Amino acid sequence: MSTDPFSEILKFTSAESLLTGGFTAGGAWAIRFPAPEKIKFFAVVRGHGWVLIDGEPAPLRFDTGDVGLIAAPRSFVLASEPGVEPIDAMAVFAGTNGTAQLGDGRDFAHIGGHVLLDPASGKLLADVLPPWIHVPASSPHASNFRWLLDQLMEERALDQPGTQLVSKHLAQLLFIQILRAHLKTSRPMPAGWLRALGDPRIAPAVRLMHGEPARDWHLDELAAACAMSRTSFALHFRTVAGITPLAYLAEWRMRLAERSLREHSTPVAGIARALGYTSESAFSSAFKRMTGQSPKAYRNAARTVG
């Protein structure tokens, strides 16, 4: 089976989605949520509402089946209509199990959760996400979202044996589908590894580098894998990823090295060999150039924090 860099990075960052609650509402209502400390996702499962995100010029309408994700630390308001005075979310959910009702609860239903990331490696994902993502129910991904939302609502309603585990896996699938929809968006994405993973022209080269990061890859090999000339490949890769192919490989090697230094006791020389460096000194120089620390200093600092 070929390497799947997207799955690999999600595992690398320890991305874990959790469904945390929701609410129903009727009549005029508005709730202000504090700036999230974690990536937050939510979906409208009945009715429609408006999302007003601090720093954005206009409110966003969310209809039934629409899914949103907020990655920036910005407070936001969910409301029946713009202009309704919001109440604080802490007051709404105080003393509840994460589920609340405003008014008669007949007009609107919402579920939400957040994504946990590894404190160290999680920045790799968090830093490339836009402040917010809105996936409308009318998008090509609507059928996948509709099925997941239906299943999540059924699990919450029936509370069957294994509901917590099933809900966790469904929430994880929902998060992955949000990212997939973002990768296929028609809007321009900033250059970076996330955009590179979604670009079919350079995907073969990215898979090769993730599959064998220790190999001494040459530009000609990677270009040939993408059926492109060396010049065209190098130019397109840099446009999409923001860096050259070999710089991308070097950065991924450093991410793998950081994980090994944090989580394992493998000697630095062993990590260097595993990542394709000819000597410990060559690896140490490359690591310090990219991270600002020597491998041993990085390991000691990680253990002190841990």
Side-chain angles (χ1 to χ4, degrees):
M1 183 180 293
S2 64
T3 302
D4 176 5
F6 186 62
S7 295
E8 188 176 26
I9 289 177
L10 287 181
K11 289 189 290 185
F12 180 79
T13 59
S14 301
E16 180 182 357
S17 304
L18 298 175
L19 192 69
T20 54
F23 67 91
T24 59
W29 56 271
I31 305 175
R32 173 169 286 281
F33 291 84
E37 297 179 356
K38 308 175 184 70
I39 297 171
K40 183 175 180 62
F41 63 88
F42 61 90
V44 175
V45 293
R46 186 174 71 248
H48 78 270
W50 293 83
V51 181
L52 300 88
I53 303 172
D54 283 2
E56 296 300 322
L60 305 168
R61 176 173 167 131
F62 273 65
D63 291 304
T64 301
D66 284 18
V67 178
L69 181 143
I70 296 180
R74 301 184 189 176
S75 61
F76 62 98
V77 172
L78 289 176
S80 56
E81 295 291 342
V84 178
E85 186 67 25
I87 58 177
D88 187 72
M90 296 296 289
V92 173
F93 292 100
T96 73
N97 61 355
T99 301
Q101 179 176 315
L102 299 177
D104 59 23
R106 295 178 181 177
D107 300 335
F108 181 86
H110 152 285
I111 57 173
H114 58 248
V115 181
L116 302 176
L117 295 174
D118 181 88
S121 61
K123 286 180 61 64
L124 182 64
L125 177 59
D127 288 350
V128 298
L129 291 175
W132 55 271
I133 297 172
H134 176 201
V135 185
S138 58
S139 75
H141 309 274
S143 59
N144 292 331
F145 285 119
R146 189 157 46 243
W147 183 85
L148 287 169
L149 294 175
D150 287 345
Q151 294 300 308
L152 280 167
M153 293 302 292
E154 182 175 329
E155 289 296 327
R156 285 172 60 82
L158 299 180
D159 194 24
Q160 301 181 90
T163 282
Q164 288 186 349
L165 184 58
V166 171
S167 296
K168 178 180 176 180
H169 286 306
L170 289 170
Q172 186 79 348
L173 287 172
L174 181 63
F175 175 57
I176 292 171
Q177 290 293 347
I178 294 172
L179 294 181
R180 283 179 172 177
H182 177 59
L183 285 174
K184 296 179 179 178
T185 181
S186 58
R187 292 179 298 174
M189 287 178 59
W193 68 259
L194 188 60
R195 181 176 169 188
L197 296 189
D199 190 296
R201 294 183 65 190
I202 63 171
V206 175
R207 285 195 295 268
L208 288 175
M209 289 187 283
H210 277 259
E212 295 184 78
R215 180 169 167 174
D216 184 20
W217 289 105
H218 294 281
L219 202 58
D220 290 339
E221 295 176 281
L222 298 172
C226 298
M228 300 170 68
S229 71
R230 176 189 171 109
T231 302
S232 296
F233 169 71
L235 178 60
H236 185 68
F237 195 102
R238 183 160 194 151
T239 299
V240 172
I243 54 177
T244 67
L246 298 185
Y248 178 94
L249 174 63
E251 286 197 2
W252 180 238
R253 284 174 171 174
M254 291 304 104
R255 302 291 84 77
L256 295 175
E258 287 174 343
R259 181 172 63 180
S260 292
L261 290 166
R262 286 195 309 271
E263 300 179 3
H264 306 291
S265 56
T266 307
V268 173
I271 296 174
R273 286 193 300 271
L275 293 176
Y277 287 89
T278 55
S279 67
E280 180 178 343
S281 62
F283 164 70
S284 296
S285 296
F287 188 91
K288 187 169 185 178
R289 185 168 58 252
M290 287 199 178
T291 67
Q293 292 179 288
S294 70
K296 291 180 180 178
Y298 180 89
R299 172 173 274 168
N300 290 337
R303 288 178 175 174
T304 301
V305 173

